[in-house]
Amino acid sequence: MSSRSKDDLVFKALSAPLRREILDLLKDDPKTTGAVCAAFPAFDRCTVMQHLGVLTDADLVIVQREGRERWNHLNPLPIKAIHDRWIGDYAALAVEKLARLKHDLEMPGDEPAPDAGQDKGGHGR
């Protein structure tokens, strides 16, 4: 499976509020499928299990069977990959712009920081 397809599965999985709540539930320790279902009494077992299936397909949840129990473990690596690919670079750019703004505001009368007021293409705002 291509990296793009994996990213699409992760974004799809993270798009539903219930699936994000399930991931939050699994953040501290693994839970049995029964415990996950019990944590969401407003939803029937079938619905919760379908959401767990989407999370498993996206590799966000790893299932381990022990006898008759099915343990669900959070796998944070796909989220880290999304962060590294999509959020890290954009956050670094935002921090750089804030640093330039801070410099410009603290140094009245000085020349603006290099590249201040220009986007990456060299154009003004």
Side-chain angles (χ1 to χ4, degrees):
M1 182 179 291
S2 73
S3 175
R4 182 175 180 171
S5 296
K6 288 179 185 177
D7 286 354
D8 290 345
L9 287 174
V10 173
F11 278 116
K12 177 187 172 192
L14 294 174
S15 69
L18 178 59
R19 292 193 287 262
R20 292 191 303 269
E21 288 180 45
I22 291 170
L23 294 176
D24 286 341
L25 180 69
L26 299 175
K27 184 173 46 177
D28 294 326
D29 54 4
K31 304 272 189 288
T32 63
T33 299
V36 173
C37 292
F40 301 99
F43 297 93
D44 61 51
R45 183 177 179 88
C46 183
T47 299
V48 175
M49 290 187 67
Q50 286 176 336
H51 284 283
L52 277 170
V54 173
L55 292 169
T56 301
D57 291 345
D59 201 30
L60 290 165
V61 170
I62 298 171
V63 176
Q64 180 183 19
R65 292 190 180 274
E66 289 183 16
R68 295 184 68 181
E69 292 184 318
R70 186 175 175 232
W71 286 87
N72 300 282
H73 301 260
L74 173 67
N75 178 15
L77 294 178
I79 296 172
K80 182 179 181 333
I82 292 291
H83 175 272
D84 292 349
R85 165 63 180 94
W86 290 100
I87 298 168
D89 290 343
Y90 293 104
L93 180 62
V95 169
E96 180 183 324
K97 286 183 178 183
L98 287 172
R100 282 188 292 201
L101 177 63
K102 180 179 185 282
H103 174 269
D104 292 348
L105 292 173
E106 289 177 348
M107 303 296 181
D110 285 353
E111 289 294 315
D115 299 323
Q118 294 191 359
D119 62 23
K120 285 198 175 233
H123 303 96
R125 291 182 214 173

